[in-house]
Amino acid sequence: MDIPRIIDFQKIGNPEIGYISVAEPKGELPFPVKRVYWVYGTPENSERGNHASKTGKQVLVIVNGEAEVILENPEGKITTFKLNDPNTGLYVPPLHWKQIRLSEKAIILSLASSEFDESDYLRDYKLFKSFVAVQRR
C-alpha cells in the first residue's frame, strides 16, 4: 500500500540571504504535478479538508504558519503530521481521509497529481468508509 510520508526538500542558501527549496517529479516528488493550489487567509484554528481522493495524490507544503494534518488510511489507522517547515512536504496517497487544522494566517501549498475532478472526491465520511470497504473486497 502507498503510505503517507514526509519528504525532505533540498535547502539551498544560508541565514544571510535566505533559502530556496526545489521539488521535482524526477527527484523528491513521487508523481508528475498536474495542478498547484494554495490555501491562505485562514482564521485561527480553521479546519480544511474533510475529504479523500479516490485516485489523486498530493504533496502538502506549509509555506507560512503551521498545519496539523490528520490522515486516516483505508484500514482505519489514523496518523497525525505536523507541518511547520517549508523545507518539507507531506505525501498524501489516494484513499486517505484528510483533515487539516491551520494556524492563523497559515499558507499551505498543494502539489497534485491530477487536475480537479469533483467525481474523484469523497466528501462524506460515511461514503468514504463504504467506498474503501468495497475496494478491499
Side-chain angles (χ1 to χ4, degrees), residues 52-89:
S53 174
K54 295 175 190 171
T55 62
K57 303 171 186 177
Q58 69 182 159
V59 172
L60 298 172
V61 179
I62 192 75
V63 178
N64 188 63
E66 295 184 344
E68 179 181 69
V69 182
I70 303 157
L71 299 176
E72 180 178 338
N73 75 7
E75 287 75 37
K77 180 182 178 195
I78 296 172
T79 308
T80 302
F81 296 89
K82 183 148 187 150
L83 300 179
N84 57 12
D85 183 352
N87 190 51
T88 63

Side-chain angles (χ1 to χ4, degrees), residues 22-124:
V22 178
E24 297 180 323
K26 292 183 180 181
E28 302 79 8
L29 296 176
F31 54 82
V33 176
K34 301 261 177 98
R35 181 172 174 237
V36 176
Y37 64 92
W38 49 98
V39 175
Y40 58 95
T42 57
E44 183 66 32
N45 299 316
S46 63
E47 186 171 288
R48 301 293 301 241
N50 293 308
H51 64 267
S53 174
K54 295 175 190 171
T55 62
K57 303 171 186 177
Q58 69 182 159
V59 172
L60 298 172
V61 179
I62 192 75
V63 178
N64 188 63
E66 295 184 344
E68 179 181 69
V69 182
I70 303 157
L71 299 176
E72 180 178 338
N73 75 7
E75 287 75 37
K77 180 182 178 195
I78 296 172
T79 308
T80 302
F81 296 89
K82 183 148 187 150
L83 300 179
N84 57 12
D85 183 352
N87 190 51
T88 63
L90 173 61
Y91 171 63
V92 181
L95 293 179
H96 280 69
W97 185 261
K98 175 179 60 207
Q99 294 175 288
I100 304 171
R101 296 185 181 134
L102 298 161
S103 67
E104 184 177 12
K105 298 184 182 175
I107 301 171
I108 193 164
L109 176 75
S110 175
L111 307 170
S113 66
S114 57
E115 295 177 8
F116 178 76
D117 177 2
E118 182 61 38
S119 68
D120 187 54
Y121 284 79
L122 298 165
R123 297 189 184 275
D124 178 272

